[in-house]
Amino acid sequence: MTHSHIIRNSLNIKDENIIFDVNNYLCPEEKIKETNYLVYQATLTYKPKACHHCGSMNEEHSITK
């Protein structure tokens, strides 16, 4: 079982196209707006044409999540 698979299962992420960075699987804790979060680095293995939530077209990496 890969680190990416374990992280995806622990976060209940169903999308197999998200690959977590195996060199950085121990995620750092960051403070964002006065709340501490664990931040995972991942890569989406395909380039979506548009955001499936808001419909924004993906023009030159304009979709950020």
Side-chain angles (χ1 to χ4, degrees):
M1 193 176 301
T2 67
H3 287 108
S4 193
H5 182 76
I6 293 168
I7 294 169
R8 200 172 21 256
N9 280 345
S10 67
L11 297 175
N12 198 27
I13 295 174
K14 304 296 183 200
D15 191 344
E16 295 290 328
N17 296 306
I18 298 172
I19 305 298
F20 290 90
D21 183 2
V22 294
N23 296 322
N24 192 20
Y25 66 91
L26 297 174
C27 56
E29 186 172 316
E30 292 184 18
K31 191 171 209 166
I32 303 171
K33 295 183 181 179
E34 304 302 318
T35 303
N36 291 331
Y37 293 94
L38 295 176
V39 179
Y40 292 89
Q41 298 294 320
T43 302
L44 187 60
T45 60
Y46 69 95
K47 182 178 176 185
K49 294 180 181 179
C51 174
H52 69 275
H53 290 288
C54 70
S56 175
M57 297 301 291
N58 188 6
E59 297 169 356
E60 297 185 31
H61 309 292
S62 62
I63 297 176
T64 303
K65 177 129 179 145

